[in-house]
Amino acid sequence: MSAWPATSPRFAAISFVALALVFGLATGQVQPPALTPDEAVKAMQVADGFQVKVVAAEPLVRKPVTMSFDGRGRLWVIQYLQYPSPAGLKAVTIDQYLRTTYDRIPEPPPKGPKGADRITILEDPDATGRFRKAKDFHVGMNLASGMCLGHGGVFVAQPPYLLFYADRDRDDKPDGDPEVLLSGFGMEDAHAFPNSLQWGPDGWLYGAQGSTVTSNVRGIEFQQGIWRYHPRTKEFELFAEGGGNTWGVDFDRHGNLLAGTNWGGQALLHQVQGGYYVKGFGKHGPLHNPHTFGYFEHVPYQGFKGGHVTCGGIVYTGDSFPEQYRNQYIACNLLSNALYWHRLEAKGSTFAAKHGGDLAMTADTWFRPVDLLVGPDGSVYVADWCDKRANHVDPVDNWDRTKGRIYKIEANGTKPVKEFNLDKLASKDLLPLLKHPNDWYTREARRILAERRDNAVIPDLTKLVRDNKDQLAVEALWALYVSGGFTDALAGEFLNHANDAVRVWSVRFLGDAKKVSPALCERLIATAKKDPSAAVRSQLACSSKRLPAKDGLAIVRELLQRSEDVDDPHIPMLLWWAIEDKAISDRDLVLSLLDQPAAWQSPIIARWVVERLGRRYMAGGTDADLRTCTQLFDGAPGPAEVDALVRGMEKALEGRHFKKVPATLEQHLTALTAKQPKSLTLLRFALRLGSEPAYHATLRRVNDTKSPVTERIGLIEILGQMGKEDSIAPLLKLLPASEDAKVRLAALSALQPFPDAKVAAMVLELYPTMPTDMKARAQTLLCNRAPSALAFLKSVDAGRIRKEEVPLDQLQRIALFKNKELTALLEKHWGKIGAQSNGEKRSRMASIRNILRNGKGNADNGKTLFTKHCATCHTLHGAGNKIGPDLTTADRKNLDFLLTSIVDPSAFIRPEFVAYSVETKDGRVLTGLVVESSPKSVTLLNAKNEKIVLSQDAIEEMNPSSVSLMPEGILNPLDDQEIRDLLGYLQSNVMALGGR
């Protein structure tokens, strides 16, 4: 099935039907015009006990993208009117993701080109509940995507810059030209710009970064991630790397950072300090650290609802909503024209989540919520982009810049807030706000205290931390820190605090300094050894990475012995990353973690560290790294530990091998083989190291029908990756029908790298007797190279192979060679091979609609068809594979959407499902998703669910493809009733099938 419609397709010609969907045209009907603001409110359905009010609308505000209340309760809004293209720049290149390279980097304001964006202040002078007065703080900004108030001015993200507009006289006008704080943010795609600027509890300015831009700020390169900037010290850090196309950042009551995403079936990520997260690896390549050997996924989620974009999310920490909403995640889903709330549940040191319910929904397709904010009255304010389109993929600039709304969702009975000005309060008068039930006041008080750094409040704040065990202690600690009152002495004291969040942040603050005194280091080691909180241990793991090796690894040593954390979703990998960070610079200290045999048996070390440590040093591959590998072997107390090391080292060699065993390892390999002559793991490793005895032993084992099939298949795979010519004959012996079917399939895959003509000859000879699944694998082998493809087509031409057996995707692969003889044979038997015209696709969709109107589908039979034709790539209702998107959360009820996805699969391709076309130096043309990439190898997964591991050295050229991995014409083999059955299943609810 297709890579399902989403927000980043190719930039090639888009079919009429696809454009119709983008512009809201469905089966010839023009999308209704936008409702008025008041009509839009009437059309909304809200949860019981709530009401929606318009608080601002056009012409007062248009295209709101982010908003913030100031200390007087006025609402500041960025009107993102310049989106999507910067003013004054010329596009030079545009790729299939619509990432644009411009002719120059604009100068910062005021020299750079002026755009249409503006920061506007909204006021409600007569306290009517609706903002009726607006004034612009600044106009002429050029794609200003983020804003945060504080420190006597406004911080603005306007890529490639982070700017600061001072307003110290508070006249609501910039005092002068902005200060350039940072430069280097990417500007290839305005929907993925730096965004969601937010003050963290620690006084740092945090922001998100989307997926389709590449930033390089002070030498730190990243795409997706969370970054932070300190307004006083001017430090910049990448807080965590990876995530979805994040638009939305917030902190819960304990200071955990939660971020939005655009991944289907997921609602949020819990981003921890120094963490690495899932990202679009095929699109951007691996994480910038190639030795993470793992990453964190989204917060596990149950019951996801709606479109795949979750943005502008907040943790509700107000005081007016009913209790069930408190400390839960509320977020926009602009593709579903809805707001959902999500229950957060503790899961070790992190969270799990599930659908809580609908907060607001509407059939008004112009409602495009993009940002949420808790206000001084405890209500949730909603920035509505308000446009007939949300999909940015069409390059035509037909966005409706005349509209924009801000709504307020308030609980019934919410009382208006009296006029106030927190900035005028004395510092001591801000302290009572730290226990305000609406966290908005608490955050504002902390912001002001951070700006003032008033020593006079430090004794009171210290006392509040000491005397309280509840949330007030946490708030007081944060306020104490931003006021400059956190000392080493207090840190030592607070590491014993009854509230685990106080202990977490005491550790965090110490780690942020990147050094600790010997006495505090001992306290941190003791905390690692005894603290009962998984959250504290998680932060210790994060902070240990930031400290010098002698201190950080001493903390890690204790955490590695906390066996209760072996199944924690975060802690083991955080410990690995702390170790990996020092693996080269301080290898002796790293090896000292395993200086006692008992250490190797620690559950965390045994499961999470040993294999990765072997992999890390083998991946390095220097003489020093190989010597470290021998040290690890020398220290391993038993065969289980040796096996783990070997597994890791073999993993590091995937897709490549040594021509001969390195001298450093030769003696150890001989000794290990003598001790474990029957070890399959060791045999695989020795084979990759270039051991001749291992190679011959492998040939014997793969041809031994008494050996377990799984073992033979694994060894066959390595033989294919090694590409030694004298392994061709033994592999060909595995093809006849007398062999196990799985072994035959593995041998076909392993033979693909060999250009030897006798491979194609024997495959063609055996082809007529092969079962269907083996014929498909044989076609992949034969169609990968022009000479074997020609032999294949000549067999069709001679009548030895039925042309009906050859699917369209294989024919399209052959057409890529642009060989005259091949093209002639293709056209002789199948006509012109290529993408269908837009007219043909429209006609086919109309035909399918007619088929559906003329009968009813059987969903149970459709499930069988799905398993046969779609489940190789897709999951639906928990069954199937993950090559393509999970269809369970796709917009399956929308028939236009569904038919476009099936008939024109290349019209919209989600970034994480973009296939790559690879030309190898041995003449193959391969297509697949990049599922893993390292400096030494690339792993592709093709449409047949076959994994192909390639050495980077074997690749001639590798480019993203504008064509979906799903072939066109997938419905062509089905008759009318089968089409009805399959579509019926695709649009079904799981409970409707088989009584489940």
Side-chain angles (χ1 to χ4, degrees), residues 5 78 129 162 168 206 344 363 421 535 564 652 672 785 930 956 974:
I78 286 185
L162 176 66
R168 294 187 171 88
Y206 287 77
L344 300 176
N421 190 338
E564 64 266 45
L672 290 171
R785 288 186 180 84
V930 176
E956 182 72 36
L974 307 184

Side-chain angles (χ1 to χ4, degrees), residues 129 177 220 321 445 527 600 615 682 772 908 933 939:
D177 295 340
I220 301 173
F321 278 26
T527 301
W600 294 73
R615 184 179 176 186
L682 193 54
T772 302
F908 296 86
S933 178
T939 303

Side-chain angles (χ1 to χ4, degrees), residues 92 108 212 242 290 394 458 564 656 770 956:
V92 176
T212 41
D394 180 56
I458 289 175
E564 64 266 45
R656 61 194 183 99
M770 291 179 179
E956 182 72 36

